[in-house]
Amino acid sequence: MPDIVRPKTVITGHMNADYDALAAMVAAGKLYPDAVLIAPTMLERQGSHLFSDSIAYLFNLRQPRECDFSEVDLLVVVDTHQESRIEHVRDILANPGLVIHVYDHHPDSDNDLPAALKVVKAWGSCTSIITLIIQERGIALTRDEATMMGLGIYEDTGSFTFTSTTGNDFEAAAYLRGYGMDLETIAELLSTDFTREQIHVLDDMLRNAVTHTIQGIPITVTEVVLDDFMGDVASLVHKLIDMENIKIIFVLAAMGDRVHMIARSKAPDVDVGMICGSFGGGGHSFAASASIKQKPLAEIRSELLAFLVSIITPQMSVGRHMTSPAICADEQMSIGQAEELMNRYGLKAIPVLSAEKGRAIGLIEQHTAARAGAHKLGHLPVTEYMQRSVSTLDPEADLYAAMEIILKQRQRLIPVVEQGDVVGVLTRTDVIRLLVDDTLHIPEGTPLSREHRARNVASLLHNQLPEELVGIMEEAGRLGDEIGMPVYAVGGFVRDLILKRSNLDIDLSVEGDGIHFAEELATRLGGKVRPHQKFKTAIVFYRDGKGNEQHLDVATARLEYYEYPAALPTVELSSIKMDLYRRDFTINALAIQLNAEHFGTLIDPFGAQRDMKERSIAVLHSLSFVEDPTRILRAVRFERRFEFRVGAQTERLIKNALSLGMLDKLSGSRLFNELKHVFDEKDVPACIRRMDSWNLLRIIHPQLKLTPNKDILVTSIDEVLAWYRLLYKDPLPRAWMVYLLGLTDNAKYPEVASLLDRLGFIERAKTDFLTLREKSRRASGQMAALRREGGVPMSVLYEILRPVDIEGLLYLMARHGQEHNIGQDISLFLTRLKDVTVDITGDDLRSLGRTPGPEFGEVLSYVLAAKLDGKVSTKESQLALASRYFAEKQEGREMAGLNVSEVLKGRT
C-alpha cells in the first residue's frame, strides 16, 4: 500500500509561493514542531543554486498528494489569509472542528479565512513577524533555517529598500544574522543581473507599454507573451518603473497556460491589491499580483481596464436608481404563491424575507418557480429553492459595487437594505441600462460588453484545429447560409477550445431542421447519415483526407423539458440561446456561429467564460439536478478534470436533490453508465472522495461507502492502472471493473449481488463479475499460502494467475502491494510470464511420429511449465522433453505434471 502521511497539523502558504512564503512556512515550523509543511506551487527562478534547489529536501516540504488530510485539526497559513489563495489544501477546510491560525502582512479582504488566531501586521515581510515571535520564545535556529528565513525577508523588502520596510524587518534580520544567516548565499539568490532573455522581455515591456489617463490619473498597462515560464518578472517590473518613472503599472505576462498580473502603485487613488483580488490574486495596496489560468490575454486586459474605469470614475449611488418599494416574498410562502406574485407584477425575481424580522434571506427567480410548479413541487416552501447566498447594498453604495455583484456573482437582483430593512431593489436590467447609456465606459471584453460586441474565436479555430476540420466547419456555415439556417458548433468542444484542451469531437446545432441539414451536409462530404427522428438529431459519417472514417453530430436547436423528475427529455424547437439553456453547466453552454458573415463569433449568454476564469462549476437553473440527477456525477467529473470547484449554490442544490431521493429515481443502467465515465477520469480517487463527501456513494448503495482502507485501495488501483497503461499491452483493462472490485473489497456475496442489481447489470454481466471476484479471491489465497512456505515456481505462478482476467489481476496487485511479494509476483506475470509460449508446434510433435489428439495439449502444457521454470529454453531441448514425455507415457509411467492443488497440498 502507498505510504500516506496523516498529519494533525499542517503549515502552508499561498499558491505561486515566493521566498517569503516558503521562509515563513519554515519559520512557522519552529512554532509548530509536529506540523507537516505542505509545499504550494512555487515561482521558478532563473538559473540554479545549490541552496534553492535543496529547499524541499532541507526543510522536508511535502506535496498534497502525499497526505491524507482527513485528520487535520489545525491549519497554519502564512503570507496570506485569503481562502482563494490556498486551493492546494482546500479539502482541509471541510474538516469538522478545524482550527485555523494565520500569520500575514497583507491587508484584510472579503475572502479571508475564519481564523481562531490571527497575527497580521503591516510589515515588509511575513517572515519577520514569525521571526520575532521565535526570538521572544527563545527558540534556537540552525544556519540553514536562518538563511532561509533571511532570504524571505530580503526578497520581500527589496533588501530593505521598499517603502513597506519597517524597523521590525531590520530587527528580525539582525536576529537571524546572530544564528549565521549566510548573506553571500542570499545575495547570489537575489542577484539582479539580467540574462539576455530577461533583457529581451524588458524591451518587449517597453515597446508594448500604453499609458491610459483616467480622471487625470496616468496608468501604464503593458504585456508580454513568453514561450516558457520565467521567474522573477517582478524584478523586471521594478526596473521598468525606475527607467520610465511610472507611478502606476500593470504588467500582463502570458506564460504557458496562464497570465501573470503584476501590479505596482505609488498613488493612493489606485489600490492594486483590491484590483488583483478581483482576479483571484491579492497583495498590498501598493504591490500585488494574480495568476489567471485559461483566459485570453486580450480579454484580461479589457477586464482590467473595466475595473480601473469603474473604480476611478465617480459613481452614481444605488439609491438614486433602485426600484422602490420592493415586491418581496415571505419565507412562509409556497413556491406557487411566489410564482403567482411575480407573474402578477411581471417580475423575473424577488427577494425572500424572514418572517420574524423582515430581513433579506434569499432570492427566488420566476423561471425557477415555474419549473418547480411543472414538477408538482409548487407546494414546497419558497426557501427550498431560493438562492440563499445573497449580496445586498446600502442606498449610498456606488454603481461599481452593483456591477461587481451582478456581473461577477450572477445575481439578477440586488436587495437595497437600509438599517436592516429592504427599501428597494436594483435589477440587472437597471445596471445594464445605466452602463450602456454611456454613464460608464466599459471596455470591450468584459461580460457586459460581450452582449453587444461579441468575441470572435476564428483565430483559435485555425490555430488549434487541423485545417481540414476547420474547412468542414466553414462548409457547414456556407450550407447554413444557402438553406437559411444559423449553424453553430456547441458544447464541450467549444469549452475545450477556450480552455485550450485538445478536442476534435465537434457537435453542430442548427436553428431549423437538423436532420435535413445533416442530409445535405453528408451529400457535400460524400458521406452518409444516421437520423434519430425522436430527438431531431443525426450523425454524419464521412472520410477524411487520409481515408479514415470520421463523424459529426448534428442536432436541432432545441429546448428540453422533463415530464417528471429524472425522466428522459421531451424536445421542442427553439433558438440557440434556449438550446444552450438546456445544458448541464454554464461552462458547457457555449456556441460558435459558423455562418460565413459571423464565422467564429462566440455565443456566451450565461457567463461560461466568467465561470472558467473563476474555475467554477455552476448549473443554469435551480431544478437542474431534479430534472437530471446524473448531472451530479458529471459535476464530480468536471470538477476534477478541469481542477474547478463546484460553486456553493450548486453544491447546495446537489445536496437538496439527494435529500429528495432524486438519485433513487434513476434507472440502474443510466446510473452505471455515468459511474463508468467517472471511473475513466484522470483522477478517479479524488472523484470517489468527492462523491463520498456528499454521501453519494452510500446513497447509490450502502456497499459503496468509502472507508479509510478502501480509500487507500482505490488510490493504489489508480497507480496500478497508470503503471499498466505504460506497458502498452493488450487487452486494455476496463477501469470501472477494477474500481468496482476495490469498492466491494471484503463484501459478502449477497451484498455485491444487490449492488449489481441496483446498477442494472444483466444476469450474464452479473455472473461474469461475481465469477471474476471469486477467481481473484481464490488466486489471492493460493499465492499467499505458497509464499508463506517459500518461493513460488514460475510455472505454478502462471497456472494460478492464468485464469484470472486482467481486471482481477490489477485489483490483486493494488490490494496486496508488496505483501508477501504478491504484488511483485503479479507484476512478473503481467510483464514476462503471461506472453511466454513454447517454441514447438503440433507439426513438431507430428515429426516425432505422434498422432494429433488430446495428448498434444497435455505435452505442450508440460513443456510450457518446464520453460517457465527455466528447464528448457531452446526449441531442441523442448522437443527432446516432449519426446521423453511420450516415451515414458508409452511405457506406462507418468511424468510429474503440474497440479496447483497438489502443490498446495504438499506445502501444507
Side-chain angles (χ1 to χ4, degrees):
M1 296 291 182
D3 181 20
I4 301 295
V5 178
R6 294 180 174 80
K8 293 285 190 182
T9 302
V10 160
I11 297 173
T12 195
H14 57 77
M15 301 284 286
N16 296 320
D18 53 11
Y19 283 138
D20 190 37
L22 295 174
M25 287 172 57
V26 172
K30 305 300 290 184
L31 304 181
Y32 304 86
D34 296 328
V36 170
L37 276 60
I38 301 298
T41 54
M42 296 177 242
L43 291 176
E44 298 179 19
R45 306 279 163 172
Q46 294 295 311
S48 180
H49 191 283
L50 178 61
F51 187 85
S52 62
D53 291 345
S54 304
I55 287 173
Y57 168 76
L58 285 173
F59 305 110
N60 196 25
L61 300 181
R62 289 187 174 270
Q63 294 296 316
R65 64 175 179 272
E66 299 172 1
C67 301
D68 175 356
F69 293 133
S70 62
E71 297 180 10
V72 175
D73 53 21
L74 175 59
L75 175 63
V76 181
V77 181
V78 300
D79 204 32
T80 185
H81 53 297
Q82 289 181 247
E83 182 177 337
S84 61
R85 302 195 75 192
I86 57 168
E87 283 289 301
H88 54 292
V89 292
R90 64 183 178 187
D91 291 344
I92 297 177
L93 300 178
N95 286 3
L98 178 70
V99 175
I100 300 175
H101 292 179
V102 299
Y103 298 84
D104 194 14
H105 66 138
H106 296 101
D108 292 344
S109 73
D110 294 336
N111 187 231
D112 288 349
L113 292 161
L117 173 65
K118 184 175 178 180
V119 182
V120 178
K121 301 181 180 182
W123 295 3
S125 162
C126 181
T127 306
S128 297
I129 297 170
I130 305 176
T131 298
L132 293 190
I133 296 174
I134 289 173
Q135 179 185 32
E136 181 182 327
R137 297 187 185 179
I139 301 173
L141 300 171
T142 67
R143 178 184 175 88
D144 285 338
E145 289 169 342
T147 301
M148 181 71 231
M149 293 160 65
L151 179 61
I153 295 173
Y154 271 77
E155 180 192 51
D156 246 31
T157 62
S159 299
F160 305 103
T161 63
F162 293 167
T163 56
S164 57
T165 306
T166 69
N168 302 292
D169 299 297
F170 284 99
E171 183 181 348
Y175 175 72
L176 295 174
R177 183 62 173 155
Y179 277 97
M181 176 177 66
D182 189 340
L183 294 175
E184 184 177 350
T185 294
I186 293 173
E188 291 172 355
L189 286 168
L190 298 181
S191 171
T192 56
D193 292 337
F194 294 143
T195 65
R196 178 176 297 180
E197 181 184 8
Q198 288 174 312
I199 292 172
H200 285 312
V201 173
L202 182 60
D203 182 57
D204 286 343
M205 287 183 182
L206 279 167
R207 285 190 291 104
N208 297 335
V210 176
T211 297
H212 304 268
T213 301
I214 304 173
Q215 294 294 309
I217 300 174
I219 301 173
T220 300
V221 178
T222 187
E223 56 197 52
V224 290
V225 179
L226 306 176
D227 294 331
D228 300 308
F229 189 89
M230 173 182 284
D232 289 344
V233 175
S235 62
L236 302 181
V237 176
H238 286 289
K239 184 66 175 177
L240 184 61
I241 291 171
D242 292 340
M243 291 169 59
E244 299 297 313
N245 192 28
I246 296 170
K247 301 298 182 183
I248 305 167
I249 187 169
F250 290 83
V251 176
L252 304 177
M255 294 182 271
D257 64 346
R258 67 192 67 200
V259 174
H260 294 272
M261 178 186 293
I262 302 163
R264 299 291 185 265
S265 173
K266 297 179 181 178
D269 307 87
V270 179
D271 182 343
V272 295
M274 184 268 289
I275 295 171
C276 287
S278 297
F279 287 89
H284 302 281
S285 60
F286 51 84
S289 64
S291 179
I292 309 153
K293 289 186 67 177
Q294 308 294 355
K295 201 170 188 67
L297 188 147
E299 189 168 347
I300 295 171
R301 182 204 319 120
S302 296
E303 291 185 351
L304 170 64
L305 291 173
F307 276 113
L308 289 169
V309 170
S310 301
I311 292 166
I312 297 171
T313 304
Q315 304 293 310
M316 298 172 289
S317 70
V318 167
R320 288 181 57 192
H321 299 280
M322 69 182 182
T323 299
S324 181
I327 304 298
C328 304
D330 186 277
E331 66 173 328
Q332 296 177 344
M333 271 189 182
S334 68
I335 295 174
Q337 290 171 324
E339 180 189 11
E340 182 182 348
L341 184 64
M342 285 183 279
N343 290 339
R344 186 187 311 157
Y345 292 100
L347 303 174
K348 294 182 178 180
I350 54 176
V352 179
L353 307 183
S354 64
E356 183 179 351
K357 296 184 178 180
R359 303 296 170 87
I361 60 171
L363 295 175
I364 183 72
E365 298 191 0
Q366 194 278 335
H367 70 82
T368 300
R371 293 169 79 93
H375 289 292
K376 304 190 186 307
L377 300 175
H379 65 283
L380 294 177
V382 71
T383 51
E384 285 294 317
Y385 284 101
M386 72 180 183
Q387 179 181 332
R388 293 175 181 272
S389 179
V390 177
S391 295
T392 63
L393 288 176
D394 183 272
E396 297 304 315
D398 61 33
L399 198 58
Y400 169 74
M403 188 180 80
E404 283 269 292
I405 294 170
I406 288 176
L407 299 185
K408 294 184 66 180
Q409 299 178 25
R410 302 189 306 279
Q411 187 173 312
R412 177 182 291 276
L413 174 146
I414 305 172
V416 182
V417 176
E418 189 171 29
Q419 296 181 349
D421 296 326
V422 176
V423 295
V425 294
L426 189 68
T427 68
R428 181 176 183 273
T429 303
D430 294 332
V431 174
I432 290 174
R433 185 185 69 248
L434 291 170
L435 296 181
V436 173
D437 287 347
D438 292 327
T439 302
L440 285 178
H441 170 64
I442 303 295
E444 182 176 351
T446 64
L448 179 63
S449 68
R450 275 200 297 271
E451 294 187 6
H452 306 281
R453 307 181 187 92
R455 177 186 173 192
N456 193 285
V457 295
S459 61
L460 282 180
L461 293 172
H462 286 286
N463 291 336
Q464 294 181 217
L465 301 179
E467 280 303 315
E468 181 181 6
L469 192 55
V470 176
I472 290 174
M473 296 171 73
E474 291 173 334
E475 182 64 33
R478 286 191 291 270
L479 172 61
D481 289 335
E482 292 174 17
I483 61 180
M485 293 184 189
V487 185
Y488 307 88
V490 296
F493 160 76
V494 184
R495 173 201 66 213
D496 289 344
L497 181 78
I498 303 301
L499 293 176
K500 296 184 179 178
R501 296 172 62 94
S502 176
N503 185 348
L504 303 181
D505 188 10
I506 298 177
D507 294 338
L508 300 182
S509 181
V510 300
E511 291 183 352
D513 187 339
I515 294 177
H516 172 62
F517 177 88
E519 290 169 343
E520 293 293 324
L521 183 61
T523 300
R524 296 193 176 199
L525 299 179
K528 55 185 179 181
V529 176
R530 182 190 300 163
H532 193 307
Q533 293 291 344
K534 180 179 178 181
F535 290 101
K536 299 180 174 62
T537 63
I539 303 176
V540 176
F541 295 94
Y542 68 96
R543 294 196 177 275
D544 62 19
K546 297 180 180 179
N548 299 317
E549 186 172 83
Q550 306 291 347
H551 74 274
L552 290 170
D553 291 332
V554 178
T556 301
R558 64 192 195 268
L559 172 65
E560 293 178 347
Y561 64 89
Y562 295 73
E563 296 177 354
Y564 55 88
L568 287 173
T570 300
V571 177
E572 292 183 348
L573 297 180
S574 75
S575 68
I576 187 63
K577 183 172 180 180
M578 294 307 295
D579 179 65
L580 295 177
Y581 188 66
R582 72 182 177 83
R583 308 282 165 165
D584 47 12
F585 305 105
T586 58
I587 61 171
N588 293 328
L590 285 164
I592 298 173
Q593 189 158 7
L594 302 182
N595 301 81
E597 185 177 352
H598 303 288
F599 186 82
T601 298
L602 184 67
I603 312 298
D604 180 14
F606 304 111
Q609 294 174 92
R610 176 195 56 243
D611 284 340
M612 291 179 189
K613 172 191 171 185
E614 296 177 357
R615 313 190 67 76
S616 176
I617 302 291
V619 288
L620 281 81
H621 58 83
S622 296
L623 289 174
S624 183
F625 298 118
V626 171
E627 293 182 341
D628 186 357
T630 62
R631 290 171 175 169
I632 299 173
L633 293 167
R634 274 178 256 161
V636 172
R637 288 165 46 208
F638 292 146
E639 185 179 55
R640 299 316 307 167
R641 183 189 303 176
F642 304 121
E643 297 183 0
F644 283 14
R645 185 74 174 175
V646 171
Q649 175 78 352
T650 299
E651 185 168 6
R652 188 189 69 79
L653 293 172
I654 287 173
K655 293 177 179 178
N656 186 66
L658 292 174
S659 69
L660 291 174
M662 290 300 156
L663 212 62
D664 297 334
K665 300 178 185 294
L666 282 177
S667 67
S669 59
R670 287 190 72 197
L671 185 57
F672 178 51
N673 185 58
E674 287 296 333
L675 278 176
K676 285 199 292 187
H677 288 314
V678 171
F679 293 143
D680 283 333
E681 287 295 324
K682 185 176 180 181
D683 190 354
V684 177
C687 291
I688 290 174
R689 292 184 197 109
R690 185 56 156 156
M691 288 191 290
D692 187 64
S693 74
W694 293 331
N695 213 20
L696 183 57
L697 293 171
R698 189 199 62 77
I699 292 172
I700 294 173
H701 194 277
Q703 181 53 46
L704 291 182
K705 181 173 174 59
L706 194 64
T707 64
N709 286 338
K710 283 185 185 179
D711 193 351
I712 295 172
L713 178 55
V714 295
T715 300
S716 187
I717 287 173
D718 187 62
E719 294 170 352
V720 167
L721 282 169
W723 166 82
Y724 185 78
R725 291 183 186 113
L726 292 175
L727 299 179
Y728 295 99
K729 284 182 173 288
D730 291 327
L732 291 175
R734 291 164 291 183
W736 67 264
M737 186 173 285
V738 188
Y739 284 110
L740 206 55
L741 286 168
L743 289 171
T744 58
D745 187 58
N746 289 328
K748 296 178 181 179
Y749 183 97
E751 295 172 338
V752 181
S754 172
L755 168 64
L756 301 182
D757 288 338
R758 174 64 187 102
L759 297 180
F761 275 48
I762 61 175
E763 280 303 314
R764 181 173 176 179
K766 180 178 174 182
T767 300
D768 289 345
F769 183 85
L770 293 172
T771 300
L772 174 59
R773 191 166 179 268
E774 291 307 309
K775 284 182 179 180
S776 302
R777 290 160 67 92
R778 187 182 310 117
S780 175
Q782 290 174 338
M783 294 177 68
L786 287 169
R787 272 294 177 185
R788 284 195 294 270
E789 296 298 322
V792 180
M794 295 298 99
S795 57
V796 176
L797 178 63
Y798 179 89
E799 193 66 18
I800 291 173
L801 298 179
R802 181 179 56 83
V804 184
D805 291 345
I806 181 62
E807 292 84 6
L809 294 174
L810 295 175
Y811 155 65
L812 289 178
M813 191 173 175
R815 188 177 192 272
H816 291 288
Q818 299 306 313
E819 177 188 344
H820 304 303
N821 292 320
I822 291 176
Q824 183 177 346
D825 288 341
I826 298 174
S827 173
L828 176 65
F829 173 77
L830 290 172
T831 55
R832 290 177 48 196
L833 305 183
K834 181 173 176 289
D835 299 323
V836 172
T837 58
V838 293
D839 301 300
I840 59 176
T841 65
D843 290 338
D844 295 316
L845 298 183
R846 286 195 201 91
S847 71
L848 298 176
R850 312 304 298 186
T851 302
E855 65 177 355
F856 270 33
E858 295 172 7
V859 72
L860 290 174
S861 295
Y862 181 80
V863 173
L864 175 60
K867 181 178 180 180
L868 289 167
D869 290 335
K871 297 175 180 178
V872 288
S873 58
T874 65
K875 181 175 181 178
E876 291 74 16
S877 61
Q878 293 171 27
L879 195 57
L881 180 62
S883 178
R884 191 163 70 251
Y885 181 93
F886 285 130
E888 295 197 8
K889 186 172 184 180
Q890 189 172 349
E891 294 174 6
R893 291 179 292 164
E894 292 287 342
M895 295 184 70
L898 178 63
N899 187 303
V900 174
S901 298
E902 291 299 321
V903 172
L904 287 170
K905 184 178 179 181
R907 293 292 186 100
T908 56

